[in-house]
Amino acid sequence: LPVQSAITQPQPGAAVPPGELTVRGYAWSGGGRAVVRVDVSLDGGRSWQVARLLGERPVPGRAWAWVLWELEVAVE
């Protein structure tokens, strides 16, 4: 399976005030492969930012669970 991911915060359609915003989510893969990177686009794919992975790193070949991620962004 290719890496799949979902944004959990902010909720779809949520109004966010200007300033710093933390975007959070989770990602998973298949075949025991670990998620090593999550790229997030906030402008429809024109640019991408690398999110920070949270928690412990899985043992290679034994990554059967999802990983949490977050990204700090500035909202104008």
Side-chain angles (χ1 to χ4, degrees), residues 16-71:
V16 294
E20 291 295 314
L21 172 69
T22 302
V23 180
R24 291 186 171 100
Y26 59 91
W28 70 97
S29 187
R33 289 182 230 164
V35 173
V36 296
R37 181 172 148 168
V38 173
D39 295 326
V40 180
S41 176
L42 302 173
D43 59 9
R46 289 188 298 271
S47 64
W48 295 85
Q49 298 176 58
V50 179
R52 182 168 65 96
L53 301 180
L54 306 175
E56 297 179 23
R57 297 297 169 257
V59 175
R62 305 194 82 183
W64 301 106
W66 39 267
V67 63
L68 298 174
W69 58 264
E70 69 180 16
L71 175 67

Side-chain angles (χ1 to χ4, degrees), residues 3-18:
V3 173
Q4 304 290 312
S5 129
I7 294 174
T8 59
Q9 184 182 5
Q11 295 293 316
V16 294

